[in-house]
Amino acid sequence: MKDKKTIWDHLLLILLIATLILATSCTYEPYEPYEEIEKPKLDDYSKSWDIIRNYPSEVFNFYDFGYYNDDCFFDTTAVIADFNLDGKNDFMLSPQCSDDDQRQPPISIFYYEDGSYVGKVVSEVGPMAGARTTIVGDYNGDKIPDVFFISHNGHGYGGGVPSILLSNGSDFYLEDLNLEKKWYSDGTSGDIDNDGDLDIIFGGNVQGLLLNDGYGNFTLNADYIDNFNGNAGKPSLADLNNDGFLDLIYRDYDNHRIVYSSNGIFDYDNSVELIMPEYYRDSEKVNLDIDDRLLVDFDNDGDLDIIVIALPHDPKFGKFSRLQILRNDSNNFVDVSAELLPGLVLPYTLQWIRANDLDKNGNIDIFENQKLNNWFNIEYDGSKFIKK
């Protein structure tokens, strides 16, 4: 028995060696390591419009794309955003071609594709005439940016209503809000009540707060500022005192003011006045209207500062733009325009402005939204703004 066991042990050993030789003679395909595709970094369109407007670094002359003729305007209705969430910014053009009681031409989004922009009509019907302000945000909660047009429907007519271009998967549709026809002028959006969706504030000859139900349906609260009987025009929203709630900045003719939020409630008694920009011509004070406002931390000290463009209210003074910088000093806003700006007054009407580090050198640029002739661009160099 002992000899038989030894023979079997030898046979098993021989079979094992043969198996190993056979295995090592086989060839295997080399292992291809799995490379995870990096997802594109997407912008957050649940922020306030006053933050979103500064996301894009692209600057266009929208007339270069040949969408409608030179008699149409894009200054108040062109916006830049990532409309298909591919990590590349696209832009939307909504031509304003008339100032009378009619709908405007179709709305197109120019999508970024392989280094160029390809236009696609997303709504055959445009907004009403007189769209004074166009804002962007995710109003229906699908993370895709939507577009809100604040229109008055031309001069000398019965007024207009705002309309909203809402995303619907890969498509968009335009609808008017069920509001009374009025002279709607300007506005902004943000999550005022901290319920997870974007609300909208508008101004003009009328004012109001549109509370969102999370799906892009809005309920009007016309008297949203307690103890206030004025007109909160040119509104902006940002958390200036870092309490987790958005504060309101507005102007009312010759008054510029911050209303601090108290758990989502605006009360005029909880407000402070800001210094209005001033300008004199031949010893005569020129009444100025604040036409645009940026909220940006230009000096990189961790808080938001205020940059203002003001225009003459009376046409007899011609066209010019007065710039103002209010630096945030522990929530006390100090006018530092004279020491920081290369020139307080520009001899033309400055269109809407944005802020971004265009050349990625760590310094903020303040620049005109559309790149037209005499394009405005200044950069903060750490001590002052310089012309680019």
Side-chain angles (χ1 to χ4, degrees), residues 62 173 234:
F62 296 114
Y173 63 95
K234 184 52 66 178

mmCIF file of all heavy atoms in Angstrom, residues 62 173 234:
data_model
loop_
_atom_site.group_PDB
_atom_site.id
_atom_site.type_symbol
_atom_site.label_atom_id
_atom_site.label_comp_id
_atom_site.label_asym_id
_atom_site.label_seq_id
_atom_site.Cartn_x
_atom_site.Cartn_y
_atom_site.Cartn_z
ATOM 1 N N PHE A 62 -23.207 90.654 -29.388
ATOM 2 C CA PHE A 62 -24.279 89.763 -29.812
ATOM 3 C C PHE A 62 -24.725 90.028 -31.253
ATOM 4 O O PHE A 62 -25.335 89.160 -31.884
ATOM 5 C CB PHE A 62 -25.464 89.877 -28.854
ATOM 6 C CG PHE A 62 -25.136 89.428 -27.455
ATOM 7 C CD1 PHE A 62 -25.123 90.328 -26.397
ATOM 8 C CD2 PHE A 62 -24.811 88.111 -27.203
ATOM 9 C CE1 PHE A 62 -24.823 89.912 -25.116
ATOM 10 C CE2 PHE A 62 -24.491 87.684 -25.924
ATOM 11 C CZ PHE A 62 -24.495 88.587 -24.869
ATOM 12 N N TYR A 173 -40.175 76.460 -22.804
ATOM 13 C CA TYR A 173 -41.441 77.049 -23.229
ATOM 14 C C TYR A 173 -41.635 78.378 -22.511
ATOM 15 O O TYR A 173 -41.216 78.555 -21.376
ATOM 16 C CB TYR A 173 -42.617 76.104 -22.975
ATOM 17 C CG TYR A 173 -42.855 75.768 -21.517
ATOM 18 C CD1 TYR A 173 -43.780 76.487 -20.745
ATOM 19 C CD2 TYR A 173 -42.155 74.723 -20.908
ATOM 20 C CE1 TYR A 173 -43.987 76.179 -19.419
ATOM 21 C CE2 TYR A 173 -42.372 74.412 -19.581
ATOM 22 C CZ TYR A 173 -43.295 75.141 -18.839
ATOM 23 O OH TYR A 173 -43.502 74.839 -17.509
ATOM 24 N N LYS A 234 -34.977 99.031 -8.874
ATOM 25 C CA LYS A 234 -33.646 98.467 -9.086
ATOM 26 C C LYS A 234 -33.213 97.606 -7.892
ATOM 27 O O LYS A 234 -32.218 97.861 -7.208
ATOM 28 C CB LYS A 234 -32.643 99.589 -9.337
ATOM 29 C CG LYS A 234 -31.228 99.152 -9.658
ATOM 30 C CD LYS A 234 -31.131 98.146 -10.766
ATOM 31 C CE LYS A 234 -31.554 98.663 -12.123
ATOM 32 N NZ LYS A 234 -31.396 97.647 -13.191
#
